[in-house]
Amino acid sequence: MQYSRPVDRRRLLLAGGALGVTAAAAPLLTAQARAQDVSGGSSCTRVTDLGPGIEQFALMSALQVGDTVYIGSRNLEPTRVIAFHLPTRKVVSQTVLGTGHSIQALAADPTGRYLYAGVLTKADEGRPNLFRWDLTTPDKPAEAVGRTEDRDVRDLAVAPDGTVYAVGGIPGKAPALWMYDPGTGKVTKLGVPDPKATLARTVAATDTTVFFGAGSTLVGGEGASKASLYAYDRASGTFDNVTPPEMEKDPSLRELLVVGDRLVVSTAGSTEPAKLAVMELADLSSYTVTPTTGKVVKNLTSDGETVYFATDAGLYSYATATGVVAPVPFDGDLGEIWGLDHADGTLTTVSGYGFVAEVDPVAGTSVVTDLGEAGAPVSPQTTMGIAADHRYVYVGGNNGIARHDLRSGEVVNLRAPGEAKDAEVLDGVLYTGQYSSQGMWTYDPEKDEQPRRLAAFPSEQNRPLDVCHDAVNGLLLVGAQSDTEGGGSFWTYSPETGRKTAHINPVDATQLVRAVATRDGVAYLGGDNPTAQGTRGTLVAFDPVAGRELWRLDLPATFTTGVAALAARGRHLYVLTRRGGFLVVDLTIRRVIHTADHRAVCPGFAAMVTTGGRVYGVSDTTLFRFDPRTFALSTVVADIDGGWYSGPHLNADRRGRLYTMRGRNLVRVDDKPGS
């Protein structure tokens, strides 16, 4: 649902709001936007603040305790847990954690008194990442109780005796099993069962055993483990690999659930569908494995006889007596599901779209409550891709895309599963590269009520990173990464004919395609490598119609930190690397003709765009331009410090005005450099 009538931002923030309703609006853009002129030398730059890029209550976890569902926030500041009371269908309390960016892990102790929460962080803050909220005194804030050195807490489990176990990970390091003892207040590292795993996503605990599920959800390939399940004996302190062989081809264990005398196990799929297994706790070699049709099986819950779970396609049931998998009826789109619990014959489902659905799996009926309307706090989120034309600017968030109307100032949140990592607007139509494994989506504001899926691509090529338009061949070009298999791919899509192609590992088996640029019908692919081993920083010229490589160039050794961004202007290809290296390649002679070190303004990820005869770039800190003759860098807006979730983005409308983020607000930049 959309509201076309502008509403007052302050009133909306007090009342709440969610995907599908107007998140922010103003009667007139001139009244709402704040403009600032920044002049210097022979240039004049005007920066117009268009308000928050996307505002919503985004979520990443949910757990029902009694008659209340506790929901963890995602990419919001500060991090918080809200309490949604099912009988009244209202948000009745909340607690602020204040560290990290998202809350993926929630678990309750057996008494139902304490709720534990674990956070995700962008970098090791040296602060606690494990919290406890006393639900008997919800007005008192949660307390920090400890810190795992793996930085990110992805899942928590509480044993019957109240001992807490945590798993997660940190880039470049195998994940460990951690224990928090409420009696002593100490956090203890219990060991690393799988030294080749890159991430642990799930943990479960009984009186005697802790089950540890890991794999290669991120940074796969190059010898990384796939799905692995370990049993930790609490008495002896030893690990035993108990992975069902049928699951070993899947990238990762996704979720675990203890149901009576059985352990339910699920995976995240890649080249094969995800699987569900039921194992006997008394004899873990006795089990059944059932394949599903989904890319992932998660959010396990049970009434004792039937296991319910979520996939990317919705809700399903698994009858333990017969092994039959069947869909659970629901009239509508649940999107990305982050919470599923069963109580008294009802499934409580929490959607990334920002609502709670109470589903009767037998009758097929449901009641849906929008969390914003129920009182969930709405605030600006860190953002993904940006795309613009003369009428609208689109900003990607989690499970949504904000549409900013440049004429009226109205902002409408559209529903789109996952994350719009990058996007382009062609002839008024939006095209996005959608994470994870969602392929390409589209939205025509003249025809579509909501975005819709346009084209699927190989599911293991799950992370599109860069989208650009090849006007010569009439193609959309996309660079992608495979989180689970390593390497990446190059996609093409024709909006006119619907024809699509996917070229797997066009750079090499380890390099993903971080950036794409085009000139005269040739695509230029920039390679990057998130692992510590292997090549990085290779440039490949590719014919997108014939589907073949034309030539390649390995960047100088001093710049082999991986490509961050590419842009073409005339015969020159501009290259930014992930550590601030800058190179210009003359495409007619296929040689690097200019290099510079721009780490001071571009220390990491970056984006570039060509408009008005110049190449502009943005980093996490600065908006800048390059001189088309000398290639010298000039700062356009210093300390822009965009609120990005997965790296900065930059786009331009057909008038040459730039759009990016300053903090968590969308800004338009009119830049008129001197001659």
Side-chain angles (χ1 to χ4, degrees):
M1 177 175 64
Q2 296 176 195
Y3 293 122
S4 59
R5 177 176 60 86
V7 298
D8 181 76
R9 183 191 306 274
R10 291 169 299 175
R11 186 174 70 230
L12 183 75
L13 288 176
L14 289 172
L19 292 172
V21 301
T22 305
L28 292 173
L29 182 61
T30 53
Q32 180 68 26
R34 297 188 300 276
Q36 175 187 13
D37 289 331
V38 182
S39 301
S42 58
S43 66
C44 179
T45 302
R46 185 174 180 84
V47 181
T48 304
D49 189 329
L50 301 177
I54 182 167
E55 287 184 303
Q56 56 182 332
F57 180 74
L59 56 93
M60 202 176 188
S61 55
L63 179 70
Q64 183 174 341
V65 182
D67 61 3
T68 302
V69 182
Y70 296 90
I71 303 171
S73 67
R74 182 176 193 178
N75 298 339
L76 299 177
E77 190 177 86
T79 50
R80 68 184 72 213
V81 178
I82 65 170
F84 176 76
H85 187 231
L86 287 166
T88 60
R89 298 191 174 110
K90 296 293 183 182
V91 174
V92 294
S93 61
Q94 62 176 294
T95 187
V96 171
L97 304 189
T99 63
H101 60 79
S102 302
I103 302 166
Q104 188 171 7
L106 295 174
D109 80 334
T111 69
R113 175 177 178 178
Y114 294 113
L115 180 76
Y116 291 92
V119 300
L120 309 180
T121 64
K122 285 293 185 181
D124 192 346
E125 301 173 359
R127 302 167 66 187
N129 57 9
L130 183 62
F131 294 80
R132 184 175 67 183
W133 192 14
D134 189 335
L135 302 182
T136 64
T137 55
D139 293 337
K140 294 183 179 180
E143 60 174 337
V145 296
R147 174 175 177 265
T148 70
E149 296 172 13
D150 275 354
R151 192 187 84 182
D152 290 338
V153 178
R154 296 280 179 173
D155 197 21
L156 294 168
V158 185
D161 63 0
T163 305
V164 182
Y165 296 92
V167 298
I170 185 172
K173 183 180 177 182
L177 176 63
W178 299 86
M179 181 184 75
Y180 166 71
D181 185 338
T184 64
K186 292 183 178 179
V187 175
T188 305
K189 182 179 180 180
L190 300 178
V192 178
D194 187 350
K196 293 184 178 181
T198 64
L199 192 68
R201 296 292 298 273
T202 182
V203 63
T206 70
D207 286 312
T208 61
T209 309
V210 182
F211 296 96
F212 173 100
S216 61
T217 303
L218 299 173
V219 198
E222 287 296 292
S225 293
K226 290 188 178 291
S228 59
L229 175 63
Y230 285 81
Y232 173 81
D233 188 299
R234 295 180 64 184
S236 66
T238 58
F239 289 96
D240 185 23
N241 188 339
V242 294
T243 314
E246 297 89 340
M247 291 182 152
E248 291 177 344
K249 291 183 179 180
D250 290 345
S252 178
L253 257 289
R254 183 59 180 86
E255 193 146 341
L256 298 167
L257 175 70
V258 175
V259 181
D261 57 2
R262 291 170 290 190
L263 176 70
V264 185
V265 184
S266 74
T267 65
S270 178
T271 57
E272 297 182 0
K275 300 176 182 66
L276 182 76
V278 177
M279 309 177 73
E280 299 294 331
L281 288 173
D283 179 7
L284 294 170
S285 65
S286 176
Y287 60 84
T288 60
V289 175
T290 302
T292 73
T293 58
K295 301 186 186 86
V296 62
V297 173
K298 63 176 185 174
N299 302 114
L300 304 174
T301 191
S302 177
D303 62 2
E305 297 299 327
T306 302
V307 174
Y308 297 94
F309 61 91
T311 77
D312 47 292
L315 293 179
Y316 289 84
S317 65
Y318 171 80
T320 57
T322 63
V324 174
V325 174
V328 175
F330 179 78
D331 184 16
D333 177 16
L334 287 167
E336 190 176 20
I337 297 169
W338 282 104
L340 183 65
D341 286 283
H342 181 278
D344 300 325
T346 299
L347 290 171
T348 303
T349 308
V350 181
S351 167
Y353 287 154
F355 65 76
V356 175
E358 298 164 67
V359 181
D360 185 325
V362 177
T365 58
S366 60
V367 177
V368 173
T369 304
D370 181 276
L371 283 169
E373 295 174 0
V378 174
S379 59
Q381 191 184 33
T382 52
T383 59
M384 320 288 174
I386 289 180
D389 67 359
H390 66 288
R391 177 66 187 276
Y392 297 112
V393 183
Y394 298 90
V395 181
N398 294 115
N399 293 284
I401 301 169
R403 188 191 71 187
H404 293 249
D405 191 323
L406 296 175
R407 296 177 185 174
S408 68
E410 180 191 48
V411 181
V412 174
N413 281 357
L414 306 167
R415 288 179 174 174
E419 301 166 359
K421 289 296 188 185
D422 199 21
E424 285 289 338
V425 178
L426 303 178
D427 299 323
V429 179
L430 175 70
Y431 298 90
T432 75
Q434 207 75 11
Y435 169 88
S436 171
S437 300
Q438 293 289 337
M440 295 186 66
W441 281 60
T442 188
Y443 170 73
D444 185 339
E446 300 298 323
K447 300 178 182 178
D448 298 327
E449 183 177 346
Q450 295 288 349
R452 56 185 171 85
R453 193 174 193 182
L454 180 68
F457 289 88
S459 60
E460 69 272 17
Q461 301 296 324
N462 65 307
R463 188 183 293 268
L465 295 168
D466 196 12
V467 180
C468 75
H469 179 229
D470 173 1
V472 173
N473 296 308
L475 296 174
L476 284 160
L477 311 178
V478 183
Q481 174 179 357
S482 174
D483 286 335
T484 60
E485 308 302 314
S489 57
F490 170 59
W491 309 346
T492 72
Y493 179 82
S494 170
E496 181 178 351
T497 67
R499 184 176 183 269
K500 63 179 182 179
T501 64
H503 306 280
I504 310 301
N505 293 336
V507 183
D508 58 42
T510 60
Q511 292 190 70
L512 57 98
V513 182
R514 173 77 62 188
V516 181
T518 181
R519 172 184 179 266
D520 295 338
V522 176
Y524 297 95
L525 316 180
D528 188 18
N529 181 353
T531 71
Q533 305 296 323
T535 56
R536 67 199 68 233
T538 300
L539 179 68
V540 174
F542 200 89
D543 184 331
V545 176
R548 62 183 180 88
E549 178 182 324
L550 301 176
W551 53 270
R552 66 174 51 212
L553 178 66
D554 290 323
L555 301 180
T558 53
F559 292 92
T560 55
T561 56
V563 172
L566 298 173
R569 180 191 178 277
R571 71 176 190 274
H572 296 134
L573 184 70
Y574 293 55
V575 184
L576 277 169
T577 75
R578 287 186 55 192
R579 292 185 184 173
F582 175 61
L583 307 93
V584 178
V585 177
D586 188 320
L587 297 174
T588 61
I589 60 176
R590 304 176 186 175
R591 286 210 312 260
V592 175
I593 61 169
H594 176 87
T595 62
D597 185 346
H598 293 316
R599 280 176 292 181
V601 296
C602 191
F605 289 119
M608 290 191 290
V609 67
T610 304
T611 185
R614 293 178 185 268
V615 173
Y616 289 84
V618 68
S619 68
D620 285 335
T621 63
T622 310
L623 179 66
F624 48 90
R625 74 173 88 86
F626 294 101
D627 186 283
R629 293 189 297 272
T630 66
F631 309 121
L633 181 148
S634 300
T635 296
V636 177
V637 181
D639 302 320
I640 201 164
D641 300 333
W644 301 106
Y645 177 68
S646 51
H649 288 265
L650 183 65
N651 209 294
D653 63 23
R654 64 189 186 189
R655 294 173 57 184
R657 300 177 299 184
L658 302 167
Y659 296 87
T660 190
M661 299 293 292
R662 180 166 61 184
R664 298 196 179 200
N665 280 17
L666 175 68
V667 292
R668 181 178 65 221
V669 180
D670 295 87
D671 182 54
K672 297 178 175 60
S675 59

